[in-house]
């Protein structure tokens, strides 16, 4: 969910607004594909896919952890740059956009799909519906967890100081983002 929502909501803004944003976004997309691939194979292993049953689970877990750590660090770096570039209103809008994208995102990894362009938007919606159906069949209560995590992400974004906060300007943007999290959750 997070990778798809990040791709749909945050990365286009970062590419457009961050100095050198294209290279940051390209790196994060590459790491996102690596993470989605690792998560995909972990999911296949856990669901008993015959192609993965002989694979050692500890190797899969280690790979997911390693790639997730690299992705998380690159993401934190990009978010810090975005917080410095965007004003409070833009941060709040970005947080809301991310929140809405996460509520509509596919719930399983799809490493070979891109969520960009009109085809990507269509794939995003189609895979979200297919994943929701699979979640029902697998008795996975994903949507309630996603909603709670999306609200938490909004609150986390409120903790990142904006450029105005660092310049001694009162922290109104962070308060607005926190209020948005309460309203949207």
């Amino acid at each position: 969910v997070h990778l798809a929502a990040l791709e749909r909501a945050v990365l286009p803004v970062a590419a457009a607004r961050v100095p050198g944003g294209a290279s940051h976004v390209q790196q994060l997309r590459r790491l996102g594909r690596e993470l989605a691939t690792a998560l995909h194979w972990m999911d296949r292993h856990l669901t008993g896919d015959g192609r993965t049953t002989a694979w050692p689970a500890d190797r899969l877990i280690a790979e997911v952890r390693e790639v997730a750590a690299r992705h998380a660090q690159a993401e934190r770096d990009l978010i810090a740059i975005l917080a410095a570039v965007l004003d409070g209103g833009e941060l709040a809008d970005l947080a809301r956009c991310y929140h809405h994208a996460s509520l509509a995102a596919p719930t399983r990894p799809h490493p070979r799909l891109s969520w960009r362009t009109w085809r990507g938007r269509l794939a995003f919606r189609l895979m979200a519906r297919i994943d929701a159906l699979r979640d029902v069949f697998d008795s996975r209560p994903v949507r309630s967890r996603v909603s709670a995590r999306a609200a938490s992400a909004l609150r986390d974004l409120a903790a990142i100081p904006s450029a105005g906060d660092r310049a001694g300007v009162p922290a109104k943007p962070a308060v607005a983002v926190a209020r948005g999290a309460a309203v949207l959750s």
Side-chain angles (χ1 to χ4, degrees), residues 103-183:
L103 293 175
T107 60
R108 295 170 189 248
H110 299 281
R112 293 190 178 133
L113 295 178
S114 169
W115 309 124
R116 294 178 277 168
T117 73
W118 69 270
R119 287 184 180 127
R121 288 188 296 275
L122 181 62
F124 186 88
R125 290 183 184 141
L126 179 62
M127 294 316 297
R129 290 178 190 242
I130 290 170
D131 288 354
L133 185 61
R134 288 180 65 199
D135 293 342
V136 168
F137 289 138
D138 290 346
S139 298
R140 291 175 67 204
V142 175
R143 282 293 156 211
S144 60
R145 290 183 192 154
V146 168
S147 181
R149 286 184 180 152
S152 173
L154 285 171
R155 287 188 290 276
D156 289 348
L157 184 58
I160 298 173
S162 68
D165 296 338
R166 286 187 294 279
V169 177
K172 291 180 186 175
V175 171
V177 172
R179 284 190 194 134
V183 171

Side-chain angles (χ1 to χ4, degrees), residues 41-123:
W41 288 115
M42 176 63 75
D43 178 59
R44 299 291 76 213
H45 182 77
L46 292 173
T47 56
D49 187 321
R51 297 172 292 176
T52 64
T53 53
W55 296 358
D58 57 342
R59 187 183 111 216
L60 289 170
I61 292 168
E63 183 178 350
V64 167
R65 284 184 177 151
E66 177 187 323
V67 176
R70 287 195 322 254
H71 185 274
Q73 184 59 53
E75 185 180 321
R76 280 190 298 272
D77 294 346
L78 183 62
I79 295 297
I81 295 168
L82 266 174
V85 171
L86 301 179
D87 67 26
E90 291 170 323
L91 278 173
D93 289 344
L94 182 60
R96 284 186 197 93
C97 185
Y98 171 83
H99 176 77
H100 291 297
S102 68
L103 293 175
T107 60
R108 295 170 189 248
H110 299 281
R112 293 190 178 133
L113 295 178
S114 169
W115 309 124
R116 294 178 277 168
T117 73
W118 69 270
R119 287 184 180 127
R121 288 188 296 275
L122 181 62

